[in-house]
Amino acid sequence: MKFIRRIALSALMLSSSAFAAWPDKPISIIVPWGAGGNTDTVARLVAQGLQKELGVNVNVITRTGGSGVVGHDAIHRAKADGYTLGVVTVEIAMMHHQKMTPLSYQDYTPISRLALIYGGLQVAKDSPYKNANELMDAIKQQPGKLRASGSGLKSVWHLNTLGMLRSAQLPDSAVRFVPSQGSSAALQELVSGGVDFVTSSPGEAKGMVDAGLVRHLAIMANQPSELYGQIPRFNQATPYDWSLTTWNVLAAPKGLSPDIAETLAAAMKKVYASGELQKFANNQGFEVNALYGDALRQFMKDEDARFGRLLVEDR
């Protein structure tokens, strides 16, 4: 019996010492999107912060392809030992509903929410619609006449349009959605008169708003926005309850040790405290709103259900 106890004690000590040594080698952060974009830049700021807090090198690796599937799969398949992390983006709440991959939020250990980007509603400077309610009334009165854009079909800003319509009990066909190669192209189309409104983010429209070419009608936020408090919230400017946010989360593969997850979360709280992430985010036109633990898991679960309803419903 004493021999068995000694073995058990030795095993416990070895396990404790193994954790105590973490991390003792470089950590990698996988990004599913291209170098130089906002997600990649946020990841590099996180890497710098974690490197300082954890005392080891933290490297960013881009794994692009498959509209985000390749990178998310690489994060999922990595060993859950704390040495490979990743930035899981809002697409994880969409891809499995679109039959692109079986992966979902359940395949990861979330550490900390990073960036939030609210959907918006924009019109050209000379648009006859002075507020969001006037635009919604026009859509009701002229079903199928008005044209919208923001991104490609079934991408996040198209879903923003659909959610806005459905909140008013309108069919998807109430607006003609014109696909575009991203928000910049959609906004150019708006200014040239090719579409009547765009549903991209306030940050993406900022340049044209500052130039006096585009006007904000609403932000699709369910809470006050620190960065865009001057833009009316859609659910306050209209009788309809709709909000939409894109986001990304620092995560590890499923099965990460709770001790390592807690250490990473504690390190991220210190990274946030430095203010560098917030400064970059605000300069780029989006916000940072940290969330951890059970609250973060619930957020990802709720987002999965929300996007599932938008994508699965055929109206």
Side-chain angles (χ1 to χ4, degrees), residues 128-129 134-147 170 173-176 196:
Y129 312 113
E134 286 187 7
L135 175 62
M136 294 301 293
D137 285 345
I139 294 171
K140 283 185 174 183
Q141 294 163 11
Q142 307 170 80
K145 179 180 179 181
L146 298 189
R147 295 160 296 176
L170 293 170
S173 60
V175 163
R176 287 184 288 164
D196 298 289

Side-chain angles (χ1 to χ4, degrees), residues 4-307:
I4 294 175
R5 287 176 180 169
R6 283 199 299 271
I7 292 176
L9 182 59
S10 297
L12 180 61
M13 291 176 66
L14 284 171
S15 176
S16 299
S17 63
F19 170 70
W22 185 90
D24 63 355
K25 62 181 181 180
I27 294 171
S28 296
I29 299 178
I30 296 173
V31 177
W33 306 101
N38 283 342
T39 303
D40 176 68
T41 305
V42 165
R44 292 179 191 280
L45 289 172
V46 168
Q48 291 173 16
L50 288 179
Q51 186 166 296
K52 178 181 177 182
E53 298 301 328
L54 298 175
V56 297
N57 289 335
V58 182
N59 306 303
V60 173
I61 300 170
T62 56
R63 293 283 180 84
T64 60
S67 299
V69 172
V70 171
H72 283 91
D73 186 61
I75 301 166
H76 161 67
R77 291 180 180 275
K79 189 175 180 180
D81 58 4
Y83 290 104
T84 302
L85 309 175
V87 179
V88 171
T89 64
V90 66
E91 283 76 15
I92 200 63
M94 301 163 59
M95 295 187 294
H96 69 103
H97 296 299
Q98 295 168 309
K99 310 301 182 186
M100 296 169 64
T101 175
L103 294 174
S104 76
Y105 72 96
Q106 299 181 74
D107 293 298
Y108 305 92
T109 302
I111 304 300
S112 174
R113 189 170 66 186
L114 302 174
L116 284 180
I117 302 175
Y118 294 111
L121 177 59
Q122 301 90 27
V123 294
K125 64 174 182 179
D126 54 355
S127 169
Y129 312 113
K130 304 305 180 187
N131 56 59
N133 210 37
E134 286 187 7
L135 175 62
M136 294 301 293
D137 285 345
I139 294 171
K140 283 185 174 183
Q141 294 163 11
Q142 307 170 80
K145 179 180 179 181
L146 298 189
R147 295 160 296 176
S149 191
S151 55
L153 288 174
K154 298 300 182 182
S155 60
V156 68
W157 299 143
H158 181 206
L159 298 183
N160 190 27
T161 302
L162 298 184
M164 184 183 79
L165 295 175
R166 294 177 190 179
S167 73
Q169 304 300 309
L170 293 170
D172 297 353
S173 60
V175 163
R176 287 184 288 164
F177 191 84
V178 180
S180 66
Q181 296 295 318
S183 296
S184 178
L187 289 161
Q188 291 285 353
E189 190 72 7
L190 178 67
V191 170
S192 68
V195 296
D196 298 289
F197 65 93
V198 164
T199 51
S200 64
S201 71
E204 289 167 312
K206 185 178 185 301
M208 288 197 176
V209 170
D210 290 348
L213 300 173
V214 169
R215 290 188 284 114
H216 292 299
L217 291 189
I219 185 172
M220 308 312 199
N222 58 3
Q223 60 188 16
S225 166
E226 293 184 9
L227 201 58
Y228 298 107
Q230 77 281 10
I231 304 175
R233 289 157 56 189
F234 183 79
N235 57 15
Q236 293 179 325
T238 73
Y240 315 116
D241 186 16
W242 173 247
S243 62
L244 183 137
T245 304
T246 75
W247 44 264
N248 49 47
V249 167
L250 180 68
K254 183 179 180 180
L256 182 69
S257 159
D259 290 333
I260 295 178
E262 288 174 12
T263 299
L264 282 166
M268 280 304 302
K269 289 176 182 178
K270 292 180 180 179
V271 172
Y272 280 121
S274 75
E276 290 300 315
L277 270 177
Q278 294 90 322
K279 181 179 178 182
F280 168 77
N282 292 348
N283 286 340
Q284 296 300 114
F286 59 91
E287 301 180 37
V288 169
N289 193 323
L291 203 62
Y292 305 94
D294 291 341
L296 177 53
R297 292 184 186 88
Q298 187 63 49
F299 169 79
M300 295 178 76
K301 179 179 179 180
D302 292 346
E303 288 290 283
D304 186 87
R306 168 193 285 262
F307 281 103

